[in-house]
Amino acid sequence: MNKAYRYRLYPTTEQKIMFAKTFGCARFIYNKMLGDRLDYYKETGKKLNNTPAQYKSEFPWLKEVDSLALANAQLNLNKAYNNFWNNRRHFGKPRLKSKKTGHCSYSTNNQKGSVRLDGNKVKLPKVGWVKLCLHRPLMENSTIKTVTISRTPTGKYYISILVEYENQILPIIPKNFLGLDFAMHGLYVASDEDDADYPNFLRKAEKRLAKAQRKLSKRQKGSHNRDKQRLRVAKFHEKIANQRHDFLHKKARYLVDRYDAIGIEDISVKAMAKHKKGGKFSFGKSVADNGWNMFTNILEYKLAWQGKQLIKIDKWYPSSQLCHICGYQNDETKNLSVREWDCPACGSHHNRDKNAAINIREEARRISA
């Protein structure tokens, strides 16, 4: 099995320069190879199989950086290029990488110990020993396969270390089930737990963030003051993202430790974010703030590590319309404004979201059986 660990790096000035060169070369070779492939296809109608080695004679400065970083850039391009040609409806056309996004990264491979850890330092090809914060050790008897070095828009450096280890996870027979119903403002409503009550980090920081972005828009492009303001805005966004990640990981860990199987609806968050109300996009910010897709991905792999499973219910399953006591289907609840209702058959009073979560739990139980 594979597992990734992420650590904060503290490079020296010389190492930052080498990282910047590698980021730039990896981006350049990706753009150059993509441009040549597109031009070749326009002229001949055929695919071009080019490699980074073909460009080193014309651009000798490519030899200064790790060759595996360029090779991995080629692999990323091949994947994007082939996905586009094999499934154009699902994958978009590969685009050129911009150096103005602020986020840079490159990957390299471990070959005969070229990447290794020693205390609070990591050895990287062409860079040497770089200091890092080893806040948790790697798994015992694991082998380092690849590492990815990245720089955030705030100027922080991180390393993601992918290790391979032997582990046989036996699937368990689920006994404890939980149903989660997506909630626009609270992340989820659980069948047997308290609601998530997502704190809406983006909404709380919205006024301060808008003020900082207005200042940024008034700064002259290329000026030192604009760079300082851009850094302030980037720190705002980074803090919001870190708060969101921390909240989602803790909630996922809490649920995974207590239940054998968790059921969720296989909804399209992208389509929900584009839902029109009164001629305007009203749900986009709320849907994007709570990070539902991120939360379900975290749930899925944390459950898989323990031999448990995440069960996705069909999005057309009428979880909000069914009475979880007698099974009566109430079509009036198709109206989203109906938050509570009484079952005409058995007279039970239902909270819309809680009732849906219980129905999702029972449907997950039925599917697993």
Side-chain angles (χ1 to χ4, degrees), residues 5-105:
Y5 295 83
R6 189 169 184 254
Y7 304 105
R8 174 82 181 272
L9 286 178
Y10 296 92
T12 62
T13 303
E14 292 77 10
Q15 291 169 342
K16 288 181 180 179
I17 295 174
M18 180 53 68
F19 282 150
K21 289 182 178 180
T22 311
F23 293 148
C25 290
R27 182 182 63 250
F28 171 82
I29 204 67
Y30 183 97
N31 292 343
K32 184 66 176 176
M33 292 175 64
L34 175 59
D36 290 347
R37 289 187 182 188
L38 295 178
D39 293 340
Y40 185 80
Y41 178 78
K42 288 181 180 179
E43 295 175 0
T44 64
K46 299 179 181 179
K47 292 184 179 180
L48 175 66
N49 295 321
N50 48 355
T51 63
Q54 301 174 209
Y55 301 93
K56 290 188 177 181
S57 58
E58 183 180 359
F59 307 101
W61 37 268
L62 291 174
K63 301 177 183 179
E64 300 179 13
V65 301
D66 184 8
S67 60
L68 291 178
L70 306 181
N72 281 296
Q74 178 192 5
L75 293 178
N76 294 337
L77 174 61
N78 290 342
K79 183 178 180 180
Y81 199 70
N82 293 331
N83 286 340
F84 170 68
W85 286 110
N86 296 334
N87 190 353
R88 297 192 188 185
R89 296 183 62 182
H90 185 72
F91 296 97
K93 182 180 178 182
R95 294 181 295 178
L96 300 176
K97 294 184 179 293
S98 172
K99 65 179 180 180
K100 297 181 181 180
T101 58
H103 182 87
C104 306
S105 66

Side-chain angles (χ1 to χ4, degrees), residues 267-285:
I267 59 176
S268 174
V269 175
K270 183 178 180 181
M272 190 175 297
K274 292 182 178 181
H275 182 74
K276 289 186 178 181
K277 184 178 181 181
K280 298 180 179 179
F281 295 116
S282 57
F283 296 151
K285 189 175 295 184

Side-chain angles (χ1 to χ4, degrees), residues 5-9 132-136 138 158-159 161:
Y5 295 83
R6 189 169 184 254
Y7 304 105
R8 174 82 181 272
L9 286 178
L132 81 162
C133 179
L134 196 71
H135 61 276
R136 57 174 175 167
L138 296 179
Y158 291 91
I159 182 172
I161 304 177

Side-chain angles (χ1 to χ4, degrees), residues 172-179 255-256 258-264 303 307-311 361 364-365 368:
I172 65 175
I173 299 176
K175 297 180 180 178
N176 300 324
F177 288 82
L178 178 71
L255 298 178
V256 168
R258 285 161 177 77
Y259 296 93
D260 302 330
I262 299 177
I264 62 170
L303 287 166
K308 303 177 181 180
Q309 55 181 325
L310 180 72
I311 303 174
R361 180 195 66 190
R365 193 191 304 273
S368 66

